[in-house]
Structures are given as structure tokens and as C-alpha cells.
């Protein structure tokens, strides 16, 4: 079993839709969690950290469920510019960051 | 502005040649990393360094070498022993390896072997 697993997609949604991605992790000792965004042929960039209480940044909401060992990213009112690959990143518990394979989102007009 | 720079952006190399990719950061981070990304694939860790004059192999170190003589710099050499070197190479840094902090990435170098 991979340490961090994501559904690769692609998720094809119309503009204005709400879309959610989940990411599961295997190490229950993991302490910090992040979502990164990677545009085609570019470097990954930090989208948001994921806090235990959940956090929101505009149209983006991140949640952590420690009991079930997953994190989620919710995007409301999708824009064309949200089309990208979203990487789930988990601190393994020893401090090492483990990257998921990424989930591809394509927002259609 | 603080950040990570990589050069060159695009690199072409003939088979059998070694090539060195540059990575510099002015974030005062202790830890630095090299990843490889192939089309449609995730990131794979090549080498990482927790501190100056120290580095460890990642998951796919064969055919690569690194050095860490200065805190700011972590160059990667792709040797002729690397069987399939054409890929997108990403350098990253972090405050410390064993921490709760995120990583920051440079813009990447796209290497093509002709």
C-alpha cells in the first residue's frame, strides 16, 4: 500500500461546479498535511496547509479526518483557471514529506 | 525576493555526456532536495541534503550525483550512467528535513537527451 494515495482522475467538471478530492495516508503518526497545485510543465506550488480544525481560503476548503486517515480539498464555484494537478503531501511522522501522485482537474466552459 | 532558482530552464545533451543542473536558494533553508518528474507521473526523490557537506540517496539515485559545499547551492549531475535521463528536474528546499514545514520548489529544468 502506498503511503499517500490519490485518485489520479481526471476530474472533468463544468465551470461553477463544486468538486472534492480525497487523499488517504497510511501513517497514523503523520503530523502535517498540505495541498499543492501543479500547472502543466510548471513546478508545484503550495496551495494550502491542512489544519486539524479544517481551514478555508476563499473558494478552497481543506479538511483533515485523523480517524479515517484522509484529507480532502473542496473547490467551490470552479473556474477555468483551477484546471491543474493537485498534489496531496503528508509529513510521514518522522518529518519526511511524502507526495501523492496527484489528481488532475479539468474545468470546462 | 527570497526563492529558489534553477538553471538552465531547458537543457539538451547528447548521449554519453554528463551534465550539471544548478539549484540556488536564498531562503536560508538547511534542507534541499532533487526530484525527477516524468510525463503524467508523480515526483520521485533523487537525492536530498539536510545540511552542508552531507547528502543522502533518495529512491532513484543511480546515475546521479550531488554536492553540498554551500548552504545555498545543491547542484545535480546527471551522469552517462543514467539510462533514461530525459525528464523534468525539480529542486526544492525546506527549513529543516525533520520538521512540520512545507517545501518550496524551483521552476525546474527540462532535460532532453538527443
Amino acid at each position: 500500500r502506498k503511503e499517500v494515495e490519490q485518485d489520479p482522475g481526471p476530474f472533468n467538471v463544468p465551470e461553477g461546479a463544486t468538486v472534492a478530492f480525497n487523499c488517504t495516508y497510511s501513517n497514523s503518526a503523520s503530523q502535517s498535511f498540505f495541498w499543492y497545485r501543479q500547472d502543466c510543465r510548471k513546478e508545484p506550488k503550495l496551495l494550502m496547509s491542512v489544519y486539524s480544525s479544517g481551514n478555508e481560503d476563499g473558494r478552497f476548503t481543506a479538511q483533515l479526518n485523523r480517524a479515517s486517515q484522509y484529507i480532502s480539498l473542496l473547490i467551490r464555484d470552479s473556474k477555468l483557471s483551477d484546471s491543474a494537478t493537485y498534489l496531496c503531501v503528508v509529513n510521514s511522522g518522522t518529518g519526511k514529506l511524502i507526495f501523492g501522485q496527484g489528481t488532475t482537474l479539468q474545468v470546462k466552459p | 525576493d527570497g526563492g529558489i532558482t534553477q538553471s538552465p530552464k531547458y537543457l539538451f545533451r547528447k548521449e554519453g555526456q554528463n551534465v550539471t543542473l544548478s539549484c540556488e536558494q536564498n531562503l536560508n533553508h538547511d534542507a534541499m532536495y532533487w526530484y525527477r518528474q516524468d510525463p503524467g507521473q508523480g515526483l520521485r526523490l533523487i537525492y536530498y541534503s539536510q545540511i552542508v557537506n552531507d547528502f543522502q540517496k533518495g529512491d532513484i539515485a543511480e546515475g546521479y550525483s550531488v554536492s553540498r559545499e554551500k548552504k545555498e547551492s545543491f547542484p545535480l549531475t546527471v551522469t552517462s550512467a543514467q539510462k533514461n535521463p530525459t525528464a523534468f528536474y525539480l529542486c526544492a528546499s525546506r527549513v529543516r528535513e525533520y520538521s512540520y514545514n512545507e517545501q518550496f520548489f524551483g521552476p525546474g529544468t527540462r532535460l532532453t537527451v538527443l
Side-chain angles (χ1 to χ4, degrees), chain B residues 38-99:
Chain B
D38 293 283
Q41 303 294 312
L43 301 174
R44 291 190 289 168
L45 183 64
I46 304 172
Y47 267 99
Y48 66 102
S49 168
Q50 298 180 48
I51 200 164
V52 174
N53 293 322
D54 181 66
F55 48 83
Q56 285 82 41
K57 293 182 179 179
D59 302 316
I60 56 165
E62 186 175 347
Y64 299 97
S65 66
V66 293
S67 63
R68 186 89 185 274
E69 297 176 3
K70 297 187 300 182
K71 188 174 186 176
E72 304 79 23
S73 178
F74 191 40
L76 172 75
T77 297
V78 184
T79 76
S80 56
Q82 168 49 232
K83 298 277 189 287
N84 186 19
T86 295
F88 186 39
Y89 290 87
L90 287 159
C91 178
S93 73
R94 193 177 177 202
V95 171
R96 288 183 308 281
E97 165 63 359
Y98 298 107
S99 69

Side-chain angles (χ1 to χ4, degrees), chain A residues 24-76:
Chain A
T24 58
Y25 60 95
S26 60
N27 189 338
S28 60
S30 298
Q31 292 293 332
S32 57
F33 309 87
F34 309 95
W35 283 103
Y36 279 70
R37 170 192 171 128
Q38 185 174 23
D39 292 293
C40 189
R41 300 176 72 83
K42 299 281 191 177
E43 75 274 26
K45 292 185 178 178
L46 180 67
L47 178 65
M48 55 199 306
S49 302
V50 186
Y51 303 122
S52 296
S53 55
N55 47 304
E56 189 174 306
D57 183 3
R59 297 181 293 108
F60 298 83
T61 299
Q63 297 277 358
L64 168 63
N65 185 318
R66 285 193 184 274
S68 300
Q69 293 182 209
Y70 74 86
I71 65 173
S72 63
L73 178 67
L74 181 78
I75 305 175
R76 290 181 297 279

